[in-house]
Amino acid sequence: MSLVFAPPAAVTVPCAGGGEFPVHRIYCVGRNYAEHAIEMGGSGREPPFFFMKPADAVVPVAEGATGVIDYPTLTSNLHHEIELVVAIGRGGSGIRAADAAAHIWGYAVGLDMTRRDLQNEMKKQGRPWSIGKAFEQSAPIGPIVPIARCGELLSGAITVAVNGTLRQRGDLKDLIWSVNETIEQLSAAWTLQPGDLIYTGTPAGVGAVVRGDVMEGVIAGLGTLKVAVR
Ligand code: MN
């Protein structure tokens, strides 16, 4: 095989304890905490729905480091959404919720950065969300903690502060669709592959950041993700 140009570098995320996790796809769940669903105009009890980001939207941030993202173009309302990220280690389709945990390699703290003004405009017009969600550097992520090390995460605080002020606070036990149910639903629609990441949704309190802000996301058992906006 003769490639007509050099292929892009593999996208990887560092793992706690060593090694790099190669990223395949990024799936995201919409409106998965009741209070956030209500703040976005939903009823709080709807079937899960999904969107995607390109794999190279990830911004891996090493333990103890501060990641940097550039304020994106075309928006004046860049929002933080703190999320539990599930890293798939074993693929499959038609996975039952009861068997889903065996497909999880680990977890990370992630930010689903959103150009809210563009997303809202697309919603209003019934058009795809890609321009609001799937832009470059829209998926900062901390180290992936192996499930073998932290166990299955079913509850625990999830928070994000901006410049030291708490903005979002939730608990993983309040996910409308649990991680295992999400894997069942996703794998009914797509064949999951090793390397897939699932951003599982954000609790209430989403809001804007501007250049110079520093976001600090924390999930109990996973540590801190710190990201500055440049
Ligand atoms: Mn989100």
Side-chain angles (χ1 to χ4, degrees):
M1 180 178 60
S2 142
L3 298 173
V4 299
F5 51 82
V11 176
T12 66
V13 178
C15 301
E20 292 278 329
F21 183 92
V23 179
H24 177 244
R25 291 179 181 167
I26 305 175
Y27 296 99
C28 303
V29 186
R31 297 183 184 170
N32 206 13
Y33 290 84
E35 284 176 32
H36 172 66
I38 291 163
E39 80 180 349
M40 289 289 109
S43 68
R45 288 285 167 197
E46 294 162 356
F49 64 93
F50 306 104
F51 58 93
M52 295 175 80
K53 293 176 187 263
D56 66 358
V58 302
V59 178
V61 182
E63 186 67 51
T66 300
V68 178
I69 59 171
D70 296 298
Y71 196 90
T73 58
L74 300 182
T75 186
S76 52
N77 197 18
L78 177 66
H79 273 203
H80 53 77
E81 295 191 356
I82 186 70
E83 309 205 358
L84 172 69
V85 182
V86 176
I88 297 295
R90 183 148 70 85
S93 61
I95 299 166
R96 304 296 307 268
D99 306 320
H103 294 260
I104 298 172
W105 194 89
Y107 304 95
V109 183
L111 282 161
D112 166 15
M113 300 305 296
T114 302
R115 293 194 279 210
R116 190 73 73 200
D117 41 2
L118 299 184
Q119 183 201 23
N120 287 343
E121 189 56 33
M122 291 301 113
K123 274 187 199 173
K124 207 185 306 170
Q125 299 187 36
R127 290 178 175 168
W129 289 7
S130 301
I131 199 168
K133 287 289 195 180
F135 53 96
E136 289 143 29
Q137 302 183 324
S138 62
I141 185 170
I144 297 175
V145 179
I147 193 170
R149 176 186 282 210
C150 63
E152 202 177 345
L153 291 189
L154 301 171
S155 65
I158 173 170
T159 60
V160 68
V162 177
N163 306 329
T165 301
L166 186 68
R167 290 278 192 90
Q168 291 183 262
R169 175 197 285 282
D171 193 293
L172 302 180
K173 70 173 163 40
D174 295 327
L175 281 167
I176 296 172
W177 298 91
S178 70
V179 167
N180 290 341
E181 289 168 333
T182 296
I183 289 171
E184 177 170 312
Q185 299 263 0
L186 257 183
S187 71
W190 291 273
T191 301
L192 292 179
Q193 300 285 352
D196 287 339
L197 298 177
I198 306 168
Y199 280 63
T200 56
T202 198
V206 299
V209 288
V210 297
R211 286 189 178 90
D213 283 350
V214 177
M215 300 170 282
E216 207 162 334
V218 183
I219 296 176
L222 296 181
T224 301
L225 169 64
K226 203 170 169 184
V227 179
V229 184
R230 162 171 73 189

